Amino acid sequence: MATKTSSRHAESSVSPSPSESTVSESGASRKKPSLIEKSASAVTAVEMGARQREISVSEFFTKNRHLLGFDNPRKALLTCVKEAVDNSLDACEEAGILPDVTVRLETVMNGQAPVAPSQATRFRITVTDNGPGIVRQQIPRVFAKLLYGSKFHRMRMSRGQQGIGISAAGMYGQLTTGKPVKVISRTGPRAAAHYFEVQIDTKKNEPLVHENKQIEWAQPQGTEVALEVEGRYQKGRASVDEWLEQTSIANPHVRLVYHQPEGETKEYPRTYHELPASPKEIKPHPYGIEFGALLKMLQDTKSHTVASFLASDFCRVSPALAEEMCKAAKVSPQTKPRAVKHQAAETLYKTIQTTKIMAPPTNCISPIGEKAILSGLYKQIKGEFYTAVSRPPAVYRGYPFIIEAGLAFGKAPDEAAKPQQAAVPLAEGEDHGNDTEQARVIRYANRVPLLYQQSACATFKAVLSTTWRHYGVSQSRGALPAGPMVIFVHMASVWVPFTSESKEAIADYDEIQKEITLALREAGRRLGIFLRRRERAASEFRRRNIFELYIEEVVAACNRLKGGNLPTEKLKEQLHKIASTRTGGLKTDEALGKTNAGPEGLPHSIIVTAEGIEGDADLAQQAPPARASASMALQAEPIAQTKTRPKAKRGAKEAPNSRTGKSVRATKANVGQQTLFETPPTKKTTSLKGKPAQASATRKRK
Amino acid sequence: MAQAKPKKNGAVGKKLVGMADVVIAAAQRAKDPTFEIPIRALSNVSFNPRRGLIVMGEKKQSRSFFNVGMAKKFMQTMLVADALAELQQADLTTSLREIYYRTKHTIQDSHENTFDTQDESDPIIEDLEVSLVALREELHVRAENSGSIVGPVVFGDDGDRVDCAKLGKGGYSVPSIVEPEYLEIRRCTADFLLLVEKGTQWNRLSEDKFWRRYNCVLLTGNGQPPRGVRRLARRLHEEYKLPVYVLVDNDPWGYYIYSVVKQGSINLAFESQRMAIPKAKFIGLSSADPERYELPRNVGIKLNDKDITRARELLNYQWFQKPAWQQEIKRMLTSGLKYELDALANKDFQYLTKKYLPRKLKEKDWLD
């Protein structure tokens, strides 16, 4: 689906190709005839040399825009939105501001008659945030210079990595519509708001400022970017709508307002009121560095000796360890770093790789956290069972990372309880229309949804290679598990190894694959427990049911065999009596009522039944990882739901001011829900055990 | 025929009604209603070398109602019994498929059908045959007519005189029930009976009037012979002392067809004594024939994995333990090839009629 409409713009790239450049003056006049004669086969080194020249990054990407995710108009539109939103979120989080982002998508008429958004080819994308703003001098370069940014050179978890995204989006707009990027930014209520119109000089990779003025802006602080691009707006898989929805699942701390091109407004409310812990910046780990990089670092370092270079420019290298490594590499610790070259440098590199060094610190990563994932999934996806797993940090190539997985399973009870269609007797070969629907995988890297190239992604491969049948979900060979299920996988890392610059798929490192698989298995196990329990309850019921059904048939057959003069009622009664003793009688009834009960023993899970929601009462008690608990929302507030959800079943009525635990109205239905959003301030709280009724957050529903 | 009916009806009908009594009696004593059904599998059959028959063992499985795994089968058994009793009362015969349709309905207040496919009802009919010790014919269930006979034999069928010597090359279509009450053998002057696996080769022999020249009865079952064909062969063998020769393809399936004719089948072991012809001989195609009759190697077909597995199974069956048979099967496995009867046409269209069978009969070249 990624390349459906890709070729439309292939010819429109405008950059002059290097081969058209002038031939050197001296040779041009005299040799011209012979050049033509000999054609391309006889070009002298001098002539070739004359044609060789620098290619600017911008020119390169103009020609290769598919590398950045602008292969076709539909994907390009998404990429532009994505880059702008990513930038906003990164900026807000770094500045410690709870992000409030508005995305507006409008069709641009361009002098033509208005058309439906699905037919339109031009769009204006406006993304507004409440972030820290950008200082005036930097605005042109941030938005109109490729490979310019703050994130590339540091080892810290963020959505953006290279400083290509937003400028590439601007460049794409410039290529397809000729319109500049319009930026408004204000760094605070007292500062002035600046309005810029910038374009990129594709030859020099430098910004061109068209307009620069101070304006009045209603917003006290923040940035607004407006792009006009050629694109295609379509709903469904890999659409802007889907991307925003998935973003909201993984970022429950973000309030997202989305003005659709049709004129409707969707709001994804904030369900989590604490920012994720701000990830620390770390130095590179020695294992994650390549030889060339080491050489460069040796040249650039401010340290005066190799030993201090090793100790200060890398993480997890103590001065003692640095000395030891120097010794092992037969390099004097006092050597100047710049003097370590060639053979010596190579030996040093090899020594570093073979020395045992502690794994990198993991405080540079901020996972979403189990509770936040649960709340995100629960908010956006209807289902019966939710669970979330955060793996402990792991390391690939010296980069720390964390894998998180989540599952939402089943149909919402109200949907499942829909009146079954009138009983139509089944013909041979027909069945009960079992769900052949396949699970949906939603993938994230540093909280950014990945929508394209699913099958190339390590997460997807891990989902395929997990044996879901062990957990009671059917799965045919080499396919996704079947059933109404959403599988959530998130990789958080200082450096997510994407397979391409357009950040569509996570590369398949063994360590990553292993962690994903482990996380999925844990989630799968919990699902398995849930399904088995439900199955058990159902099968007891069915057992009873079977006999009741069949007794009728058997009695009728007996009656016919006996010529129709059998005391059928008596026989039925006798058989019913046997059936009831055989199936455990009243005990079973009790068991039936019980086995439907909540998710005891299932950590970080929610079960939704027709009677209500049953969160894990112990959830609050289970000490979440320190990082995660720090980032968890401590407060709950009424949440505005945009989607219609079951009212009577899920929602609790208002129970104002009862946070202190005196709420007596907290029903079974709202208990579990609240434990999710109401985390006790410290993980030591024990008073919640089994009685989370003190939690009181309410969810209003529209 | 007419006078035999009431008595027979009574016997089988009573047995069927007896099943309802089992349920009623168990219900009164608050017990789980249970039927004992003899097991129809290799584990419960044995070969009786003295009689030359496969006989059924004593092992039984119980089928009880109040057992989740069996409840549905129990219910189905009752439904089939009811349908069979209905046939008895109405004195009709029917097919397996019609029984399936007769008993199929959706259970009240549910989405569940009593039967989903015919595969569920067929085994239950066989279960009832064995547990009630009633033949399928006695249950008034017939198989498809898929067999033909031609030769100097005269039948009386529903009062019509059928002279199989005067039915052209098409012959008489063997009905599925050939018990004396339904089919009378009025006269038979043949010297032997030739049972051919394939309809095509039977046609060849019939067209060439092989039966006239060698004074024999030609019978075919189009593959694995149905019960009617086997039973008819047995009656001709028993009542008119016709030696029976079996002509099949040279492959494991051909061998097994022969063994079913001779000793009975595993699934229907309980009927062996009525069906099997322990004195039947295997006339061909033998794995020795390609060499003896100079069939070129290129008309053979490579044995596939299934063939090989099946051949190995045959080697282990008690009734294939005679040295000649072990040698026969092993020879096929060694050559790695199987041959169809049709392959004889490679030499001449009428090779089977004019050369192969005459020589076989002359040399008495057959296996026992």
Side-chain angles (χ1 to χ4, degrees):
Chain A
M1 103 191 289
T3 55
K4 236 186 251 167
T5 52
S6 65
S7 61
R8 250 187 82 199
H9 293 276
E11 315 89 58
S12 66
S13 60
V14 291
S15 92
S17 101
S19 61
E20 286 166 23
S21 61
T22 50
V23 184
S24 72
E25 275 176 37
S26 60
S29 53
R30 199 162 48 83
K31 282 194 179 168
K32 225 173 195 172
S34 64
L35 241 183
I36 294 161
E37 272 171 40
K38 291 184 196 170
S39 83
S41 61
V43 182
T44 66
V46 178
E47 287 155 2
M48 285 167 80
R51 292 183 194 176
Q52 287 155 354
R53 47 176 248 190
E54 195 185 343
I55 303 159
S56 104
V57 207
S58 325
E59 281 178 310
F60 175 76
F61 282 126
T62 314
K63 282 196 162 180
N64 295 292
R65 59 186 187 204
H66 54 275
L67 296 181
L68 297 176
F70 298 95
D71 340 17
N72 61 59
R74 183 166 181 234
K75 196 170 164 187
L77 186 71
L78 169 64
T79 307
C80 293
V81 173
K82 170 176 132 76
E83 296 298 348
V85 174
D86 282 356
N87 275 7
S88 292
L89 295 183
D90 269 347
C92 290
E93 283 168 19
E94 206 178 337
I97 299 164
L98 275 173
D100 221 324
V101 177
T102 308
V103 178
R104 182 184 293 276
L105 213 56
E106 299 157 301
T107 56
V108 179
M109 288 323 147
N110 201 22
Q112 289 147 356
V115 283
S118 61
Q119 303 299 316
T121 54
R122 245 187 212 212
F123 291 88
R124 186 178 303 112
I125 302 160
T126 315
V127 175
T128 317
D129 66 46
N130 60 343
I134 304 164
V135 291
R136 191 171 59 87
Q137 303 88 314
Q138 290 291 11
I139 291 174
R141 270 175 287 186
V142 167
F143 290 98
K145 183 172 167 69
L146 286 176
L147 295 172
Y148 188 89
S150 57
K151 299 164 194 167
F152 188 76
H153 292 281
R154 56 181 190 181
M155 297 280 279
R156 184 182 186 275
M157 177 182 153
S158 58
R159 294 178 176 77
Q161 285 178 337
Q162 286 112 325
I164 295 180
I166 191 66
S167 355
M171 193 167 77
Y172 174 77
Q174 181 180 330
L175 279 172
T176 51
T177 65
K179 294 282 164 63
V181 181
K182 294 172 187 159
V183 185
I184 303 172
S185 190
R186 188 170 186 184
T187 53
R190 293 194 190 157
H194 292 278
Y195 173 81
F196 272 87
E197 282 186 15
V198 289
Q199 278 199 324
I200 191 164
D201 179 339
T202 50
K203 264 190 200 167
K204 291 187 210 145
N205 187 20
E206 285 298 333
L208 298 170
V209 179
H210 288 280
E211 180 88 58
N212 171 14
K213 60 185 180 195
Q214 286 192 10
I215 58 159
E216 288 291 306
W217 202 33
Q219 223 164 298
Q221 186 180 335
T223 308
E224 177 174 299
V225 187
L227 296 162
E228 199 170 315
V229 300
E230 199 156 281
R232 219 177 132 70
Y233 177 78
Q234 238 171 344
K235 303 219 182 247
R237 294 289 306 264
S239 60
V240 174
D241 300 38
E242 191 192 18
W243 188 84
L244 289 172
E245 186 182 329
Q246 289 192 14
T247 302
S248 145
I249 293 176
N251 300 276
H253 63 289
V254 176
R255 178 171 173 270
L256 201 58
V257 180
Y258 171 37
H259 300 283
Q260 292 177 308
E262 292 95 335
E264 278 170 47
T265 301
K266 254 191 197 171
E267 186 183 341
Y268 300 98
R270 180 173 296 138
T271 55
Y272 236 74
H273 296 263
E274 184 104 326
L275 273 170
S278 174
K280 303 275 178 303
E281 195 174 334
I282 60 160
K283 298 197 178 106
H285 189 271
Y287 284 172
I289 204 134
E290 260 136 31
F291 181 55
L294 177 71
L295 284 180
K296 189 166 177 297
M297 285 173 78
L298 281 166
Q299 295 303 309
D300 295 349
T301 184
K302 285 176 193 145
S303 306
H304 297 292
T305 69
V306 179
S308 69
F309 158 71
L310 288 174
S312 62
D313 284 18
F314 290 101
C315 67
R316 296 300 196 209
V317 180
S318 62
L321 187 62
E323 294 261 342
E324 199 181 297
M325 284 196 285
C326 290
K327 224 173 277 170
K330 300 202 172 66
V331 178
S332 161
Q334 307 308 324
T335 324
K336 280 193 175 148
R338 244 154 278 196
V340 182
K341 277 180 183 159
H342 311 302
Q343 198 55 48
E346 212 170 327
T347 325
L348 181 64
Y349 178 72
K350 278 186 188 145
T351 316
I352 290 173
Q353 300 306 312
T354 50
T355 314
K356 217 174 170 192
I357 305 169
M358 223 172 131
T362 48
N363 54 4
C364 51
I365 311 172
S366 147
I368 303 173
E370 279 140 346
K371 287 172 199 297
I373 295 176
L374 272 183
S375 89
L377 286 173
Y378 179 68
K379 180 177 70 165
Q380 291 298 340
I381 296 165
K382 288 185 189 180
E384 294 158 78
F385 175 77
Y386 305 84
T387 191
V389 179
S390 273
R391 292 284 308 160
V395 175
Y396 82 95
R397 269 184 50 200
Y399 298 114
F401 69 96
I402 286 180
I403 296 294
E404 294 175 291
L407 268 184
F409 182 90
K411 297 189 172 83
D414 57 328
E415 206 172 303
K418 262 179 198 165
Q420 282 163 332
Q421 289 176 353
V424 179
L426 290 176
E428 195 173 323
E430 272 184 343
D431 54 18
H432 293 276
N434 286 332
D435 276 308
T436 44
E437 178 192 357
Q438 283 197 336
R440 196 155 68 97
V441 183
I442 53 180
R443 305 168 289 137
Y444 295 89
N446 287 350
R447 296 165 179 256
V448 181
L450 308 176
L451 296 188
Y452 283 94
Q453 290 205 12
Q454 173 170 264
S455 53
C457 187
T459 57
F460 185 72
K461 288 179 196 165
V463 172
L464 287 189
S465 63
T466 305
T467 317
W468 292 93
R469 262 168 297 167
H470 293 172
Y471 313 125
V473 182
S474 64
Q475 179 187 26
S476 38
R477 272 177 75 87
L480 286 170
M485 176 154 74
V486 174
I487 301 169
F488 170 108
V489 185
H490 174 229
M491 173 172 179
S493 178
V494 289
W495 188 262
V496 179
F498 288 111
T499 54
S500 77
E501 288 318 307
S502 51
K503 300 191 193 172
E504 286 158 349
I506 298 171
D508 202 356
Y509 284 94
D510 283 350
E511 296 89 340
I512 298 175
Q513 183 88 16
K514 184 184 148 210
E515 282 297 315
I516 301 173
T517 309
L518 288 174
L520 287 174
R521 281 190 197 152
E522 177 55 33
R525 266 192 292 276
R526 292 180 196 165
L527 174 66
I529 293 170
F530 163 73
L531 287 177
R532 268 195 299 280
R533 188 179 298 156
R534 198 176 64 167
E535 178 61 28
R536 213 164 35 237
S539 79
E540 279 303 310
F541 183 67
R542 200 158 46 227
R543 229 158 87 95
R544 181 74 65 78
N545 236 356
I546 281 177
F547 296 145
E548 310 232 316
L549 279 181
Y550 294 169
I551 283 172
E552 295 289 323
E553 291 290 329
V554 168
V555 169
C558 284
N559 187 31
R560 286 193 297 268
L561 278 168
K562 296 296 276 180
N565 39 27
L566 200 69
T568 49
E569 288 311 315
K570 192 179 137 212
L571 182 58
K572 261 187 227 170
E573 198 179 305
Q574 286 167 338
L575 289 173
H576 277 301
K577 215 180 264 174
I578 305 174
S580 137
T581 51
R582 294 263 160 179
T583 50
L586 285 174
K587 262 190 242 164
T588 312
D589 292 340
E590 276 171 32
L592 276 175
K594 266 193 181 162
T595 37
N596 265 326
E600 318 96 57
L602 283 181
H604 307 296
S605 305
I606 312 177
I607 292 180
V608 182
T609 64
E611 295 92 48
I613 309 134
E614 296 168 23
D616 187 349
D618 289 312
L619 178 68
Q621 272 222 306
Q622 297 229 347
R627 269 180 326 283
S629 73
S631 70
M632 256 163 223
L634 303 183
Q635 295 196 325
E637 64 171 31
I639 293 150
Q641 281 289 113
T642 44
K643 288 195 171 179
T644 51
R645 309 206 82 183
K647 277 178 224 160
K649 288 168 189 165
R650 281 191 164 189
K653 290 281 183 234
E654 290 265 25
N657 303 325
S658 51
R659 262 201 77 214
T660 44
K662 301 286 185 276
S663 167
V664 276
R665 298 196 52 208
T667 60
K668 194 183 174 196
N670 64 16
V671 163
Q673 190 90 33
Q674 289 149 9
T675 55
L676 217 198
F677 302 102
E678 181 87 354
T679 316
T682 67
K683 54 182 174 176
K684 282 176 197 143
T685 310
T686 52
S687 62
L688 274 186
K689 181 169 186 174
K691 294 188 175 180
Q694 58 170 274
S696 67
T698 53
R699 303 182 85 189
K700 267 195 221 157
R701 292 192 165 82
K702 287 181 179 173
Chain B
M1 184 176 167
Q3 73 273 29
K5 237 180 347 187
K7 199 182 84 204
K8 253 178 65 71
N9 246 350
V12 177
K14 254 181 210 156
K15 285 179 188 169
L16 290 167
V17 174
M19 297 181 61
D21 292 331
V22 170
V23 177
I24 295 162
Q28 270 161 3
R29 284 179 294 129
K31 290 267 162 54
D32 191 356
T34 305
F35 299 129
E36 296 288 320
I37 296 167
I39 293 172
R40 293 173 288 114
L42 185 59
S43 61
N44 193 32
V45 298
S46 60
F47 179 60
N48 184 329
R50 199 171 47 78
R51 296 169 66 197
L53 292 177
I54 296 177
V55 289
M56 194 149 203
E58 294 296 310
K59 284 187 217 160
K60 288 186 174 173
Q61 62 185 42
S62 41
R63 175 170 300 167
S64 41
F65 186 22
F66 291 110
N67 174 317
V68 180
M70 301 184 205
K72 183 158 193 187
K73 266 210 162 156
F74 187 96
M75 179 269 292
Q76 291 173 331
T77 311
M78 291 308 295
L79 288 176
V80 171
D82 174 34
L84 291 174
E86 187 188 340
L87 281 178
Q88 295 288 329
Q89 273 146 24
D91 191 25
L92 296 168
T93 66
T94 189
S95 67
L96 292 171
R97 189 137 185 92
E98 280 174 340
I99 295 261
Y100 158 64
Y101 282 130
R102 180 69 190 146
T103 52
K104 177 169 187 165
H105 56 262
T106 303
I107 299 172
Q108 219 181 356
D109 301 328
S110 80
H111 292 288
E112 196 177 337
N113 284 333
T114 50
F115 293 89
D116 285 323
T117 63
Q118 195 189 334
D119 298 342
E120 291 175 45
S121 65
D122 286 0
I124 286 176
I125 295 170
E126 285 176 0
D127 286 344
L128 287 175
E129 285 176 52
V130 289
S131 49
L132 302 180
V133 204
L135 299 169
R136 191 173 296 181
E137 296 75 41
E138 291 174 326
L139 293 174
H140 291 206
V141 179
R142 54 185 144 73
E144 276 174 54
N145 296 8
S146 73
S148 306
I149 186 168
V150 68
V153 57
V154 179
F155 297 118
D157 182 355
D158 275 354
D160 297 332
R161 182 175 185 278
V162 181
D163 185 348
C164 297
K166 291 180 178 163
L167 290 172
K169 48 184 173 294
Y172 170 64
S173 162
V174 181
S176 78
I177 303 179
V178 295
E179 295 310 308
E181 307 91 276
Y182 294 88
L183 188 74
E184 176 195 356
I185 306 175
R186 292 194 183 159
R187 197 160 61 87
C188 174
T189 55
D191 293 332
F192 64 92
L193 187 153
L194 186 63
L195 180 58
V196 188
E197 176 188 352
K198 280 191 166 163
T200 53
Q201 299 310 306
W202 182 89
N203 279 335
R204 158 68 45 227
L205 294 167
S206 170
E207 190 179 306
D208 294 349
K209 300 293 177 210
F210 180 85
W211 57 270
R212 193 166 283 162
R213 184 138 178 211
Y214 288 87
N215 192 31
C216 64
V217 173
L218 290 176
L219 190 57
T220 181
N222 294 318
Q224 180 69 263
R227 305 154 77 102
V229 171
R230 284 169 59 198
R231 179 71 183 134
L232 184 60
R234 163 74 181 254
R235 283 189 65 197
L236 288 167
H237 171 74
E238 216 171 41
E239 295 166 28
Y240 291 87
K241 308 290 174 233
L242 297 190
V244 173
Y245 301 102
V246 181
L247 181 64
V248 293
D249 283 347
N250 180 231
D251 59 26
W253 321 98
Y255 293 151
Y256 190 68
I257 287 174
Y258 160 73
S259 87
V260 167
V261 171
K262 189 177 170 81
Q263 288 106 5
S265 71
I266 296 169
N267 201 20
L268 299 176
F270 67 101
E271 294 200 319
S272 293
Q273 40 187 327
R274 249 169 27 89
M275 302 272 217
I277 309 166
K279 285 184 182 156
K281 307 278 189 276
F282 174 84
I283 195 165
L285 223 47
S286 157
S287 56
D289 290 345
E291 197 189 330
R292 213 171 292 163
Y293 293 84
E294 290 163 354
L295 280 178
R297 196 182 150 75
N298 59 15
V299 300
I301 301 171
K302 187 175 172 291
L303 289 175
N304 60 31
D305 294 346
K306 258 189 185 165
D307 294 333
I308 293 170
T309 320
R310 187 74 182 123
R312 297 233 167 90
E313 275 171 18
L314 295 183
L315 279 176
N316 290 327
Y317 286 158
Q318 276 170 305
W319 47 95
F320 276 115
Q321 292 307 319
K322 287 178 196 157
W325 270 105
Q326 291 281 319
Q327 195 194 353
E328 167 76 24
I329 299 171
K330 280 176 184 161
R331 198 190 298 122
M332 180 181 70
L333 281 169
T334 329
S335 77
L337 295 177
K338 57 183 180 185
Y339 290 85
E340 291 183 293
L341 280 169
D342 317 56
L344 293 168
N346 181 258
K347 301 196 77 88
D348 186 299
F349 279 124
Q350 292 182 309
Y351 192 78
L352 177 70
T353 334
K354 297 206 164 148
K355 295 271 166 58
Y356 181 83
L357 281 176
R359 185 173 153 192
K360 279 266 174 183
L361 290 168
K362 201 174 123 211
E363 294 176 1
K364 295 194 173 10
D365 176 20
W366 50 66
L367 281 171
D368 187 19

